Amino acid sequence: MDMATFMPLIVQALGGAIGGNVLGGITRGGGGLMGRTIIGALGGLAAGYAGGNVEAVGNITSIWSGLIEGENGAHLANLITGAGGGGILGLISGLLIRPRD
């Protein structure tokens, strides 16, 4: 398989890791830096999957690809989609997974 096949997934996971760390860090939970990164990346991939398979989510994510022309617009849409999904999952995990201190 070539890199073009994996690039959307990599960008969504990266966006999710960033979004999950930001919102998980705000709530001071989520299993630490590594936990928030993993949870955010999974949330970013889940948002990308939902964008391709759920019509309502797909309509929203298609708007973001028009922000920049060409191939970079698709990468930006994947990054924003991943950050949104990772941020939502990071916020939820930050509220549910709390440190014992």
Side-chain angles (χ1 to χ4, degrees), residues 11 64-80:
V11 173
W64 296 326
S65 64
L67 295 174
I68 299 176
E69 295 294 326
E71 184 180 335
N72 290 333
H75 293 315
L76 179 65
N78 286 327
L79 186 70
I80 293 172

Side-chain angles (χ1 to χ4, degrees), residues 86-100:
I88 290 170
L89 206 58
L91 178 64
I92 292 170
S93 70
L95 294 172
L96 295 178
I97 304 171
R98 306 297 292 172
R100 294 185 181 193

Side-chain angles (χ1 to χ4, degrees), residues 7-29:
M7 188 57 81
L9 299 174
I10 293 169
V11 173
Q12 289 166 358
L14 177 66
I18 293 169
N21 272 317
V22 169
L23 287 179
I26 288 173
T27 57
R28 296 184 184 181

